[in-house]
């Protein structure tokens, strides 16, 4: 809540109206006393002012809804100040002057806040000093002249009227402040209760939604995984079942040439095994055990162990001077094989049906300023830019057959080494995958020699 | 009764070839093709009593390929092959106008009985 907030302005406007009404009530006996005084001692200028202010006050009370709040408040403060200074001018500090002079800054503080209150206080002190000085210079009636109190009963009436005005107004203002405060507090409490209830409710809803989401997500991933596994395993399993049916009938007919059928069964059993290994590899994150390995000869060995179709030309470009590099040879082999397999399969998919996979597999190794890199490039159909970001997602596969875990596994292995896997592809041109390791510090390189 | 002529279209070559061979040992005439396009080409030259079509084919796709095959060869009994569960592809069965879905691995002898029954329908 600040001074300009609608709540505060509303409270102040209410208090201002109370002051206006109380002022009107209090000014009736004061006016009567003044009239009595005119009759007794003659006309005084202050009474003209009093009567003028009374008329304005009556109008303000009647039309208080139409006059903006700052005008009403300013009228009350200015009226107090004028009556106080007028009284001082006319009769010294006797009578109601003191009351009005005290009331002006008090009212200002209540209706406009501290700053305006202080301003009016300074103004009151200054103007009181001015008026007091002038009256002293002119040798007019001095403050606290006992004669003033005793001789003029109108002053007493004015003072009592003024005092009761200020007291009543202050009490009314306090009561109103109090009432507003209590209401505001009650509102705040209610709001707070309501708010905390809402927060609790929404938190519970969110938690439920989150756990539902997590469960659904888990089920979705599980569904996707089981779907992929089912599809991947049932194909070779189907081939094995068909082959066994062939073998069974050939045996029944006494045929002995079962080599092709047995080879096929064997091939497909290995396929099932590879899928299961891949799944287990993916689920298992074993730590890496690094050792110093001569990179180029290790890479040549890995390639030799790989079955690469004859139609694919292998282009080796090894340029690390067979440097000893720290890595886990088993894990890095898995990463390299996954990437090389992808390259071969990409070229197989790109070839026409019935024709063997053809193309060029480029394997390069190099040491750059920051990294040790193994690059595997193929001349397959490439990956379109819209699916390129998805290739690292587990279970995502562009191949007809495959669990979609190979690249995820390879990347994880490289990251475990503090390196990474980068992929670059141009549709129709081919794909380049870079497996990189952080380059060891110079001292280490030198000692490995 | 003549030997049923069966066309198998599946991009898993081992599966397609082994199924063709198994059906042949049981007395069918079976042809294996590895893409939808090759399957469509096959029915343009020859009439088949049954077509076994893999759902998840690259390129044209199993459903579209089977639809075209049925246009060229309306009397063939059509089956969809899948490695997923049968309800996984239930919608596609109707779309492709297939008789039913066969989940891999397939019981070849049971398949043969079904081909013969259907052949007599």
């Amino acid at each position: 809540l600040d001074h300009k907030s609608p709540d505060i302005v509303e409270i102040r406007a209410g208090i201002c109206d109370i002051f206006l009404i109380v002022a009107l009530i209090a000014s009736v006996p004061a006016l009567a006393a003044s009239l009595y005084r005119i009759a007794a001692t003659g006309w005084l200028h202050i009474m003209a002012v009093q009567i003028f202010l009374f008329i304005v006050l009556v109008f303000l009370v009647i039309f208080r809804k139409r006059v903006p709040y700052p005008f009403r408040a300013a009228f009350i403060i200015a009226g107090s100040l004028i009556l106080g200074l007028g009284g001082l001018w006319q009769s010294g500090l006797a009578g109601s002057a003191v009351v009005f002079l005290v009331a002006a800054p008090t009212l200002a503080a209540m209706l406009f806040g501290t700053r305006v209150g202080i301003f009016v206080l300074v103004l009151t002190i200054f103007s009181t000093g001015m008026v007091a000085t002038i009256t002293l210079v002119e040798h007019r009636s001095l403050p606290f002249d006992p004669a003033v109190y005793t001789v003029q009963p109108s002053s007493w009436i004015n003072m009592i009227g003024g005092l009761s005005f200020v007291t009543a107004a202050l009490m009314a203002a306090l009561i109103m402040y109090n009432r507003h405060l209590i209401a505001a507090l009650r509102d705040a409490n209610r709001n707070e209760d309501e708010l905390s209830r809402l927060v609790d409710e929404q938190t519970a809803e969110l938690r439920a939604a989150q756990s539902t989401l997590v469960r659904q997500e888990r089920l979705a991933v599980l569904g996707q995984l089981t779907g992929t596994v089912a599809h991947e395993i049932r194909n070779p399993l189907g081939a094995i079942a068909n082959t066994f049916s062939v073998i069974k009938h050939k045996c029944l007919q006494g045929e002995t040439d079962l080599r092709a059928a047995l080879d096929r069964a064997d091939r497909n059993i290995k396929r099932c095994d590879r899928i299961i290994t891949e799944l287990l590899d993916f689920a298992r994150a074993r730590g890496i055990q690094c050792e110093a390995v001569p990179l180029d000869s290790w890479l040549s060995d890995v390639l030799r162990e790989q079955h690469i179709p004859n139609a694919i030309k292998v282009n080796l470009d090894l340029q690390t001077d067979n440097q000893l590099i720290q890595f886990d040879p088993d894990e890095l082999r898995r990463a390299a094989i996954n990437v090389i397999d992808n390259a071969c399969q990409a070229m197989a998919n790109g070839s026409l049906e019935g024709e063997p996979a053809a193309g060029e597999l480029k394997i390069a190794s190099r040491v750059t300023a920051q990294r040790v890199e193994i690059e595997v490039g193929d001349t397959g159909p490439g990956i379109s830019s819209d699916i390129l970001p998805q290739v690292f997602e587990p279970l995502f596969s562009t191949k007809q057959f495959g669990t979609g875990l190979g690249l995820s596994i390879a990347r994880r292995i490289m990251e475990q080494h503090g390196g990474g896997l980068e992929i670059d592809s141009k549709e129709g041109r081919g794909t380049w995958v870079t497996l990189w390791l952080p380059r060891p510090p110079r001292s280490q390189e030198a000692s490995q020699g | 009764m003549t030997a049923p002529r069966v066309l198998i279209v599946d991009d898993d070559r081992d599966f397609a070839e082994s199924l063709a061979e198994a059906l042949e040992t049981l007395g069918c005439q079976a042809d294996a093709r590895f893409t939808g396009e090759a399957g469509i080409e096959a029915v343009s030259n020859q009439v088949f009593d049954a077509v076994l079509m893999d759902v998840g084919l690259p390129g044209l796709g199993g459903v579209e390929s089977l639809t075209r095959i049925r246009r060229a060869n309306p009397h063939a009994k059509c089956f969809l092959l899948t490695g997923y569960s049968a309800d996984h592809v239930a919608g596609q069965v109707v779309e492709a106008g297939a008789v039913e879905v066969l989940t891999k691995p397939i019981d070849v002898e049971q398949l043969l009985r079904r081909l013969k029954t259907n052949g007599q329908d």
Side-chain angles (χ1 to χ4, degrees):
Chain A
L1 288 178
D2 62 21
H3 292 295
K4 280 176 185 156
S5 79
D7 288 347
I8 294 283
V9 172
E10 197 192 326
I11 293 172
R12 283 183 174 163
I15 290 166
C16 180
D17 289 344
I18 290 171
F19 275 122
L20 283 176
I21 293 162
V22 171
L24 185 64
I25 295 164
S27 60
V28 172
L31 201 68
S34 290
L35 292 175
Y36 166 75
R37 200 169 155 185
I38 291 169
T41 60
W43 184 261
L44 289 171
H45 294 308
I46 181 73
M47 287 162 194
V49 175
Q50 210 180 352
I51 290 165
F52 169 73
L53 289 176
F54 179 75
I55 292 164
V56 177
L57 185 62
V58 170
F59 273 100
L60 273 183
V61 169
I62 294 169
F63 299 111
R64 61 183 184 280
K65 299 289 174 210
R66 295 196 194 163
V67 182
Y69 157 71
F71 285 103
R72 279 152 33 213
F75 169 76
I76 289 206
I77 295 161
S80 275
L81 194 58
I82 289 165
L83 284 174
L85 291 174
L88 188 67
W89 175 271
Q90 211 76 62
S91 356
L93 271 176
S96 56
V98 160
V99 176
F100 283 119
L101 289 175
V102 171
T106 313
L107 287 168
M110 288 188 78
L111 298 176
F112 285 115
T114 317
R115 278 191 206 167
V116 177
I118 290 170
F119 172 73
V120 175
L121 180 65
V122 171
L123 186 70
T124 307
I125 291 169
F126 180 73
S127 50
T128 304
M130 290 275 289
V131 171
T133 310
I134 292 165
T135 50
L136 275 176
V137 168
E138 290 188 356
H139 303 289
R140 302 255 303 276
S141 55
L142 291 172
F144 304 116
D145 183 350
V148 175
Y149 293 101
T150 49
V151 171
Q152 298 181 8
S154 63
S155 290
W156 283 102
I157 295 169
N158 263 346
M159 190 169 76
I160 292 164
L163 263 180
S164 51
F165 156 64
V166 172
T167 314
L170 278 178
M171 279 181 69
L174 281 175
I175 290 166
M176 215 163 148
Y177 253 127
N178 210 13
R179 228 178 54 199
H180 276 287
L181 265 179
I182 290 169
L185 276 173
R186 201 178 292 142
D187 269 5
N189 273 336
R190 208 177 24 241
N191 284 346
E192 202 181 323
D193 288 352
E194 178 74 0
L195 208 64
S196 75
R197 194 183 60 77
L198 268 175
V199 167
D200 287 349
E201 227 170 64
Q202 288 186 347
T203 309
E205 273 173 29
L206 265 175
R207 283 222 181 92
Q210 193 199 15
S211 67
T212 310
L213 254 179
V214 167
R215 210 168 38 240
Q216 282 174 347
E217 178 89 350
R218 216 176 279 157
L219 280 176
V221 170
L222 193 66
Q224 201 185 344
L225 182 69
T226 47
T228 305
V229 172
H231 180 258
E232 284 310 300
I233 297 214
R234 275 177 170 169
N235 268 308
L237 214 55
I240 294 166
N242 298 339
T243 306
F244 273 114
S245 169
V246 173
I247 293 170
K248 184 178 151 193
H249 282 89
K250 282 192 171 178
C251 286
L252 288 176
Q253 286 157 19
E255 279 188 45
T256 51
D257 183 17
L258 301 173
R259 187 182 301 241
L262 288 172
D263 279 350
R264 189 167 54 215
D266 185 48
R267 197 163 55 233
N268 283 284
I269 287 167
K270 286 196 176 109
R271 234 173 101 192
C272 290
D273 183 54
R274 202 164 53 238
I275 291 155
I276 289 164
T277 307
E278 212 166 81
L279 272 170
L280 290 174
D281 279 351
F282 182 73
R284 170 200 69 157
R286 90 162 166 87
I288 54 165
Q289 283 147 8
C290 292
E291 52 188 91
V293 183
L295 184 71
D296 288 351
S297 47
W298 170 84
L299 195 53
S300 306
D301 290 344
V302 170
L303 266 176
R304 240 192 313 279
E305 290 162 17
Q306 274 303 100
H307 168 74
I308 294 167
N310 289 334
I312 293 177
K313 189 182 152 207
V314 180
N315 180 352
L316 260 184
D317 180 20
L318 306 179
Q319 293 192 354
T320 69
D321 270 343
N322 215 15
Q323 246 181 62
L324 287 176
I325 309 288
Q326 286 280 341
F327 59 86
D328 184 324
D330 291 335
E331 290 293 287
L332 207 68
R333 178 181 288 113
R334 284 168 55 202
I337 287 174
N338 282 348
V339 172
I340 292 169
D341 267 352
N342 280 349
C344 293
Q345 283 171 25
M347 290 186 274
N349 286 352
S351 66
L352 292 168
E353 185 187 345
E355 286 179 19
E360 186 180 331
L361 178 70
K362 189 186 170 185
I363 313 262
S365 70
R366 68 179 82 90
V367 180
T368 67
Q370 311 283 328
R371 329 196 291 194
V372 178
E373 297 181 345
I374 299 171
E375 192 187 72
V376 178
D378 67 60
T379 55
I383 304 166
S384 69
S385 55
D386 53 324
I387 60 168
L388 197 58
Q390 299 172 52
V391 297
F392 288 117
E393 283 173 23
L395 303 175
F396 177 84
S397 181
T398 58
K399 297 183 287 192
Q400 271 311 108
F401 302 102
T403 52
L405 296 174
L407 216 48
S408 304
I409 295 170
R411 183 164 75 160
R412 194 179 62 205
I413 290 170
M414 297 320 293
E415 284 172 354
Q416 279 179 318
H417 281 81
L421 188 153
E422 286 159 8
I423 187 159
D424 186 22
S425 187
K426 285 195 176 62
E427 221 175 342
R429 300 273 303 279
T431 304
W432 299 266
V433 177
T434 307
L435 305 169
W436 65 271
L437 300 166
R439 185 178 174 167
R442 290 244 166 241
S443 57
Q444 215 178 316
E445 266 176 48
S447 68
Q448 286 166 7
Chain B
M1 192 182 104
T2 56
R5 290 154 299 180
V6 185
L7 174 66
I8 300 150
V9 186
D10 196 315
D11 57 326
D12 188 326
R13 293 175 188 216
D14 271 350
F15 181 85
E17 282 170 355
S18 62
L19 185 57
E21 205 181 325
L23 287 172
E24 276 174 356
T25 57
L26 294 174
C28 300
Q29 279 181 29
D31 264 348
R33 293 289 185 276
F34 312 123
T35 62
E37 290 84 345
I40 294 164
E41 198 194 320
V43 290
S44 67
N45 303 326
Q46 202 185 333
V47 176
F48 290 94
D49 298 310
V51 179
L52 303 171
M53 172 70 71
D54 183 33
V55 177
L57 284 177
L60 212 49
V63 174
E64 177 60 25
S65 302
L66 193 57
T67 309
R68 294 196 192 180
I69 284 172
R70 284 179 63 246
R71 224 174 282 153
N73 208 336
H75 300 294
K77 296 287 169 190
C78 299
F79 298 86
L80 278 177
L81 298 171
T82 179
Y84 298 98
S85 64
D87 16 323
H88 205 91
V89 289
Q92 289 162 300
V93 183
V94 185
E95 201 185 328
V99 188
E100 80 183 279
V101 181
L102 302 175
T103 309
K104 299 174 188 177
I106 292 165
D107 184 329
V108 185
E109 289 174 31
Q110 200 182 343
L111 170 65
L112 187 70
R113 277 198 294 278
R114 198 160 297 165
L115 288 179
K116 285 182 173 163
T117 334
N118 282 324
Q120 288 164 0
D121 282 347

